Amino acid sequence: MAPLNILIVGCGIAGPTLAAFLLLSPVPASEKPRITILERSSAIRSQGRNIDIRGVGVAVIRKLGLESAIRAATTGEEGVQWVTKENHVWASVPASGGAGFHSPTSDIEIMRGRLAEICWKRSKALSDDVQRKGGAGIDFIFGDHLGDLRQERAKVCVQFAESGDTKTYDLVVGADGLHSETRKMVWGADGEEERVKQLGMYGAFFSIPPADTDTKWRRCFHTAGRRVMMLRPDNQSGRTTVFLNIVNEKDSRLHDAARNGHGSVQAQKELIKEYFHDAGWESDRVLGEMMETKDFYYETAAQVKMETWSKERVVLLGDAEYCPSPMSGMGTTLAMYGAYTLAGALVQHPQDISAALAKHEQTMRPSVDDAQRLMPGMLRLMNPETPWGVCMVDTGIKFLIWTRLIRVLMMLKGSKTATKPVDDYGFERLPDWRE
Ligand SMILES: Cc1cc2nc3c(=O)[nH]c(=O)nc-3n(C[C@H](O)[C@H](O)[C@H](O)COP(=O)(O)OP(=O)(O)OC[C@H]3O[C@@H](n4cnc5c(N)ncnc54)[C@H](O)[C@@H]3O)c2cc1C
């Protein structure tokens, strides 16, 4: 039987991770799937701030031989400190140092762009190896996207929007992120509002030159108006990474700015400036640098919730499939774990794609449900409108740290999804890989 011909849409985190595992299928190189990865951007997208890899995510990177490379590329953040507007530290929580704790700074903190680059290079190295042994490996297509997609019996016919080429695949995997075009094409754009649950939170991420006040700790300043500013270290670039966060369900401009996408960076910056110009602390420095920065990224916080993750020969993956939102701290971990379970299911059911997709869904659902569970009202509670509310939250955080209850909470969260053992699908074992 001919090897499966698979199109993966999106070369972020989930896409190349899936491709890498598919190439590690325990069959001869000539029988491994033929893979195409289609990425809209002209190169790997380097934006984004610190992301976490926890528990099952660590197990997955070990299976790809990537643990050393990823640990060597971490940001070096030592934990979180909460500061006053005079920059006095009033509370702190160190990095977790293990899978059993779900502290704000995880065991592995890495810049998103750096991780995307490592995943892509890893899949490319595996592809070169498979091609040397007579397999098809991966065909990477950058700077294009799907123009059309039709399912015909057991095949999917697609047309690439830029090149106009038409191709046929056995399976199409939509790993194209929160705003997935694949999801809209197959499930219908009309249902997006229902599927993508907006949380009323918006964030701007970018990097700025370091200053004397920056340390190896994340400094977190929250203030009235449901606003949070975070400054974080990055060992790799030597720059300080910034996260500005607003909780607001009323101002539609915040939502529209996210929908308008990358063509409107200047307008997004102006909006963020309007919100933070009077925040105090280091806002003058941060906003001044923000207007100059080239790596600005603005996004809405949302969760993707769907009853089924596949339709005939199209399946979603990662954020496109079940984005749990940045609040969960599990987006990247679940994207990598989902890639692993999908590849594993395809290895277990090479002749029956429907069975494989059902198996993937069955394996992932409990972890996804767990990660998507947010305490009702938590966002508004933790991001108060008034100075009095800020004072109450500060007192609550101090109480949790002083009584050590925060450790119990971190252990409870860490003991769920993050630490469960992963199934073994017989993928080839790899030595540690270095770029
Ligand atoms: C630029 C960027 C910055 C991010 N920053 C952060 C952050 O700071 N903190 C955080 O927690 N999470 C961030 N995320 C989200 C985070 O990467 C994901 O939650 C998680 O890693 C899951 O990865 P994914 O591969 O499913 O999706 P993503 O990492 O979003 O990757 C999706 C990929 O698909 C590509 N793509 C999109 N549409 C198409 C299309 N139509 N055709 C082809 N390709 C397409 C995108 O360019 C991207 O490379 C960011 C995502 C992106 C794309």
Side-chain angles (χ1 to χ4, degrees):
M1 202 182 145
L4 284 177
N5 193 9
I6 300 177
L7 173 67
I8 300 173
V9 185
C11 196
I13 310 296
T17 304
L18 171 67
F21 279 115
L22 289 171
L23 293 182
L24 292 172
S25 310
V27 292
S30 58
E31 292 171 31
K32 291 179 196 280
R34 306 175 68 86
I35 302 165
T36 303
I37 298 188
L38 175 69
E39 166 59 48
R40 178 174 220 143
S41 179
S42 57
I44 293 294
R45 292 180 68 187
S46 60
Q47 298 104 320
R49 64 174 174 119
N50 318 46
I51 48 166
D52 310 332
I53 304 178
R54 302 173 189 268
V56 285
V58 180
V60 170
I61 61 172
R62 269 185 201 138
K63 285 183 184 286
L64 284 175
L66 282 181
E67 188 176 5
S68 307
I70 287 177
R71 284 194 188 274
T74 49
T75 61
E77 182 173 297
E78 292 185 357
V80 187
Q81 293 175 330
W82 284 268
V83 296
T84 62
K85 67 175 186 302
E86 292 81 23
N87 200 39
H88 294 137
V89 177
W90 57 265
S92 56
V93 175
S96 62
F101 282 94
H102 192 112
S103 87
T105 300
S106 96
D107 190 18
I108 299 182
E109 291 272 340
I110 182 169
M111 298 304 287
R112 181 211 167 265
R114 188 77 185 89
L115 179 64
E117 188 189 14
I118 290 175
C119 292
W120 166 62
K121 285 187 177 169
R122 186 67 182 116
S123 65
K124 199 167 172 309
L126 285 169
S127 169
D128 291 346
D129 191 43
V130 166
Q131 284 170 350
R132 266 194 300 274
K133 292 174 182 157
I138 307 172
D139 179 16
F140 290 95
I141 302 176
F142 284 93
D144 210 340
H145 58 107
L146 290 185
D148 190 29
L149 181 153
R150 272 175 300 117
Q151 307 224 43
E152 285 177 6
R153 288 187 295 277
K155 297 280 177 197
V156 191
C157 304
V158 304
Q159 182 171 43
F160 298 130
E162 297 297 328
S163 68
D165 291 352
T166 51
K167 299 254 170 77
T168 301
Y169 296 91
D170 299 308
L171 177 67
V172 171
V173 182
D176 45 353
L178 176 61
H179 306 288
S180 170
E181 281 296 326
T182 314
R183 191 179 61 226
K184 289 177 204 157
M185 277 183 176
V186 177
W187 276 261
D190 291 350
E192 280 292 285
E193 268 187 34
E194 183 54 31
R195 286 188 288 267
V196 184
K197 315 272 180 207
Q198 297 295 332
L199 299 176
M201 185 169 121
Y202 303 87
F205 318 104
F206 50 94
S207 71
I208 62 174
D212 290 345
T213 44
D214 295 330
T215 67
K216 292 196 161 196
W217 287 69
R218 176 191 331 183
R219 289 181 299 139
C220 180
F221 171 69
H222 68 136
T223 188
R226 307 192 193 282
R227 294 171 295 175
V228 179
M229 303 175 70
M230 287 185 206
L231 296 182
R232 308 179 70 171
D234 176 20
N235 267 350
Q236 305 298 314
S237 65
R239 286 173 71 85
T240 294
T241 61
V242 181
F243 176 39
L244 303 180
N245 189 30
I246 307 156
V247 173
N248 184 316
E249 285 147 0
K250 294 185 186 135
D251 186 350
S252 58
R253 293 177 307 155
L254 290 161
H255 186 60
D256 295 345
R259 277 165 61 145
N260 290 342
H262 313 291
S264 56
V265 167
Q266 193 59 26
Q268 293 169 342
K269 285 183 177 179
E270 294 293 348
L271 190 57
I272 290 291
K273 192 173 170 187
E274 180 186 319
Y275 266 88
F276 282 91
H277 76 278
D278 60 350
W281 188 48
E282 300 197 16
S283 58
D284 286 349
R285 167 195 169 205
V286 167
L287 296 179
E289 296 290 355
M290 177 185 79
M291 299 315 282
E292 304 298 320
T293 189
K294 299 273 183 283
D295 59 2
F296 182 87
Y297 178 68
Y298 175 83
E299 187 57 285
T300 173
Q303 294 189 326
V304 174
K305 293 194 172 180
M306 299 173 70
E307 275 173 22
T308 54
W309 291 331
S310 63
K311 255 192 187 175
E312 296 168 56
R313 294 293 182 118
V314 178
V315 63
L316 300 171
L317 183 64
D319 273 7
E321 187 180 25
Y322 44 61
C323 178
S325 87
M327 266 80 68
S328 71
M330 290 296 288
T332 303
T333 291
L334 284 186
M336 298 187 103
Y337 182 45
Y340 176 74
T341 66
L342 179 57
L346 288 164
V347 163
Q348 284 183 332
H349 303 277
Q351 319 280 0
D352 188 348
I353 288 188
S354 306
L357 302 186
K359 171 75 184 161
H360 159 69
E361 186 160 335
Q362 186 197 343
T363 313
M364 286 307 292
R365 275 284 175 196
S367 303
V368 169
D369 289 348
D370 212 20
Q372 287 189 333
R373 204 164 293 129
L374 296 177
M375 216 168 77
M378 185 189 75
L379 271 181
R380 289 176 68 81
L381 194 74
M382 293 304 292
N383 298 279
E385 182 62 51
T386 62
W388 167 244
V390 173
C391 191
M392 295 290 283
V393 169
D394 291 359
T395 309
I397 294 174
K398 277 184 201 152
F399 175 78
L400 288 175
I401 292 176
W402 181 68
T403 55
R404 294 183 150 256
L405 267 173
I406 199 148
R407 287 184 69 78
V408 179
L409 292 178
M410 281 171 4
M411 258 160 61
L412 280 176
K413 195 144 195 318
S415 68
K416 290 187 173 175
T417 314
T419 49
K420 69 179 200 172
V422 301
D423 291 338
D424 187 1
Y425 301 110
F427 291 120
E428 285 173 30
R429 293 194 175 272
L430 293 170
D432 251 10
W433 177 80
R434 289 276 175 177
E435 285 170 84

